[in-house]
Amino acid sequence: MIARIGSDTRFAAELLRKGEAVPIPTETVYGLAANAYDESAVLKIFRIKERPSFDPLIVHVGAKADVGPLVHELPPGADRLMDEFWPGPLTLVLPKRTAVPDLVTSGLDTVGVRMPAHRMTLELLRDLAFPLAAPSANPFGYVSPTTAQHVADQLGERIPYILDGGACTVGVESTIIGWEKHGTTLEGAWYLYRPGGVSVEAIERVIGALGTKAAQIRPIAPGMLESHYAPRKPVYVGDINGLMRAHIGLRIGSISFRSPFPVHKGEVLSPSGDLGQAAHRLFAALRSLDASDCDVILAERFPEEGLGRAINDRLRRASVSR
Ligand code: TXA
Ligand code: MG
């Protein structure tokens, strides 16, 4: 089976209704989608991705009204966050109803929900009578795909059809936050689980400061694993000049923010210094260096603000120099 790439949302809907898994575009990265209420459809996602079943999936909805059947309680601020950032790259981890299969949430009593900001996928979701569980459409642990071709390159032989909605505009995955109660009290706070397409600053303008706590002892989910989003070639993050001296004699690929470096193959993500543009280009740059004849990938640290936080997070997890 070799996947056909096309923009036929009706055909994609037909496959999804039959219980198939179909890659779909979103503004962040491509997702591998299936009916969230159909366990055997969801199981296909895990098989195709070779994803361990302890890694929960995000459920995508086409309307705010679709959240009710998934979630039994909206924590303080959830409504405002949805109004402010949906459709868009913000995932809310919320207390789940039993109708959501355990396979989707890896047995957790919470479910991650978001409404993607992509015209074609919203159309698809509004056409379907069920929400779509979808992780990023890459083999587990590898860099997420931001074009239909990226999906075809790696999963093309395992799926019938890829819904092509063009290159993802945001380019890094959604920001994930979750509400956690403090003990048995009614008090609680929102915590950042993964920096992403919506900046922490923007979230805090809506609901105030996110909770802080000592580094998590155990990741809640593998998206938070230290090694994730990784190319096959070794990636080092830090001062590129210094790293170049440490890798003399090797063919070096570099990923830098504004300025080029004298290396074998250099990717400059945003000459004008725009972190949004840099995020948009990050994964394609990692893929292209990984596919090139470079021996090693050196990346610089980005400003730790706005989308720079998500870029640094992905580079750190991609790197061997954590
Ligand atoms: O932008 C995105 O979020 C993309 C597009 C396709 O929507 N999806 C995505 O999914 O990045 P994935 O599976 O690659 O990452 C989902 C991560 C999990 O690894 C986990 O860290 C977190 O979301 N997650 C999902 N449900 C959770 C839950 N109930 N509690 C804690 N974390 C959860
Ligand atoms: Mg992923």
Side-chain angles (χ1 to χ4, degrees):
M1 178 164 58
I2 297 281
R4 204 153 63 72
I5 300 182
S7 52
D8 187 347
T9 49
R10 266 196 248 156
F11 182 56
E14 217 174 283
L15 290 170
L16 289 162
R17 280 190 203 101
K18 280 191 206 147
E20 294 297 330
V22 179
I24 55 165
T26 82
E27 79 283 29
T28 58
V29 301
Y30 273 72
L32 179 58
N35 179 351
Y37 291 125
D38 177 349
E39 270 195 67
S40 67
V42 172
L43 196 56
K44 289 183 186 167
I45 295 176
F46 285 91
R47 293 231 178 90
I48 293 167
K49 275 191 63 118
E50 294 174 36
R51 180 178 177 110
S53 61
F54 56 76
D55 192 5
L57 308 181
I58 293 171
V59 176
H60 299 70
V61 296
K64 236 176 110 177
D66 298 340
V67 176
L70 298 165
V71 162
H72 70 70
E73 181 196 335
L74 283 188
D79 214 51
R80 256 179 301 144
L81 288 164
M82 292 179 202
D83 288 341
E84 189 72 26
F85 297 110
W86 284 8
L90 179 67
T91 296
L92 302 177
V93 172
L94 302 166
K96 87 169 184 88
R97 284 191 196 274
T98 48
V100 183
D102 282 337
L103 185 60
V104 170
T105 62
S106 308
L108 296 171
D109 54 9
T110 53
V111 58
V113 187
R114 86 174 188 101
M115 189 194 298
H118 192 290
R119 185 191 53 79
M120 206 179 247
T121 291
L122 281 176
E123 206 177 282
L124 178 68
L125 282 165
R126 287 164 188 171
D127 189 29
L128 294 169
F130 47 83
L132 293 172
S136 51
N138 51 283
F140 182 69
Y142 194 72
V143 184
S144 299
T146 52
T147 66
Q149 189 57 50
H150 290 165
V151 180
D153 289 346
Q154 291 187 302
L155 303 182
E157 287 174 9
R158 305 180 191 178
I159 40 181
Y161 188 69
I162 299 170
L163 186 62
D164 186 356
C168 302
T169 52
V170 174
V172 291
E173 298 85 351
S174 60
T175 303
I176 305 178
I177 60 173
W179 173 265
E180 291 181 25
K181 274 196 179 132
H182 297 152
T184 52
T185 65
L186 290 174
E187 308 269 294
W190 289 95
Y191 289 92
L192 179 68
Y193 294 164
R194 177 177 75 180
V198 172
S199 71
V200 169
E201 293 89 332
I203 294 170
E204 293 188 331
R205 277 196 290 274
V206 176
I207 49 161
L210 293 174
T212 49
K213 52 184 162 187
Q216 230 132 28
I217 315 237
R218 175 181 67 84
I220 295 186
M224 296 168 229
L225 282 180
E226 278 301 295
S227 177
H228 212 70
Y229 314 101
R232 277 175 289 271
K233 297 208 166 127
V235 177
Y236 294 86
V237 184
D239 165 46
I240 292 188
N241 284 314
L243 288 168
M244 280 168 69
R245 286 194 292 277
H247 292 91
I248 285 171
L250 295 184
R251 281 182 302 251
I252 292 176
S254 70
I255 293 188
S256 55
F257 185 20
R258 311 183 65 148
S259 316
F261 285 82
V263 293
H264 183 63
K265 190 160 190 282
E267 299 273 356
V268 180
L269 298 188
S270 178
S272 67
D274 176 347
L275 286 169
Q277 182 181 46
H280 167 71
R281 292 186 174 164
L282 175 68
F283 287 154
L286 275 171
R287 273 175 189 262
S288 131
L289 292 178
D290 205 23
S292 76
D293 63 350
C294 291
D295 301 309
V296 62
I297 301 170
L298 309 182
E300 71 185 354
R301 275 203 190 87
F302 284 65
E304 189 65 15
E305 63 189 34
L307 286 198
R309 220 186 283 250
I311 296 174
N312 286 333
D313 174 77
R314 302 307 186 273
L315 285 173
R316 191 173 53 78
R317 289 173 210 258
S319 77
V320 291
S321 54
R322 291 183 291 277

